[in-house]
Amino acid sequence: MASFGEAPEGKPEAGAKIFKTKCSQCHVAEKGGGHKQGPNLGGLFGRQSGTMEGFSYSKANKEKAVHWDEETLYDYLLAPKKYIPGTKMVFPGLKKPQDRADLIAHLKAATALGGAVDPAYFDRCHIMGAILPSDGPAVVRQLV
């Protein structure tokens, strides 16, 4: 399995589409938002697995104690049930490295901004020649 360091560059706009079609049925990215079948993903990066308040995690998820970052999420998204045996997550995973990189790029923006980002938002930013979302929420607020 290739590492995140060897992954293709993620495209947030493509990741937003993946999130909408494959993740949004069970997750929201808005900080402080409610849980669905899966936990709220707001503030995901830097958090330990199984610790989002108000969500009933599997014992396996709590005990795995994964520290979520690009590397661990890249590996997890390949095959969640293999990465955390016993997880309640039913999603089979994303086999294509580009899809995983794209979703991670979107999640970095969406979870930092406080919610899912509409793919059209990225189109507007590209037109304006902006570099984001790595520049952070302050820059994003100026551009929208």
Side-chain angles (χ1 to χ4, degrees):
M1 165 173 35
S3 70
F4 182 73
E6 300 165 341
E9 183 176 342
K11 300 176 192 95
E13 61 276 9
K17 292 174 185 172
I18 293 168
F19 185 86
K20 184 175 182 180
T21 60
K22 300 194 181 275
C23 309
S24 66
Q25 298 87 344
C26 298
H27 296 281
V28 295
E30 179 183 337
K31 282 186 182 180
H35 300 297
K36 289 184 169 183
Q37 182 176 345
N40 177 308
L41 300 177
L44 174 68
F45 291 89
R47 190 169 69 218
Q48 182 175 307
S49 67
T51 61
M52 178 58 103
E53 192 173 320
F55 186 77
S56 177
Y57 288 94
S58 65
K59 180 178 178 187
N61 201 298
K62 291 179 197 176
E63 290 179 355
K64 181 77 173 185
V66 177
H67 181 263
W68 294 120
D69 59 22
E70 292 94 340
E71 185 74 38
T72 56
L73 196 55
Y74 187 78
D75 293 345
Y76 176 76
L77 288 171
L78 176 63
K81 287 191 175 288
K82 278 188 175 180
Y83 193 83
I84 303 179
T87 185
K88 294 190 291 187
M89 187 156 151
V90 296
F91 181 64
L94 297 169
K95 304 306 175 214
K96 296 179 183 175
Q98 185 68 61
D99 288 349
R100 295 196 311 275
D102 291 346
L103 181 58
I104 290 168
H106 168 70
L107 287 172
K108 285 183 75 176
T111 61
L113 294 172
V117 179
D118 183 335
Y121 164 77
F122 291 104
D123 293 337
R124 290 193 307 275
C125 294
H126 287 274
I127 290 167
M128 297 169 67
I131 300 172
L132 53 118
S134 60
D135 290 340
V139 172
V140 171
R141 282 189 215 100
Q142 292 173 7
L143 294 172
V144 202

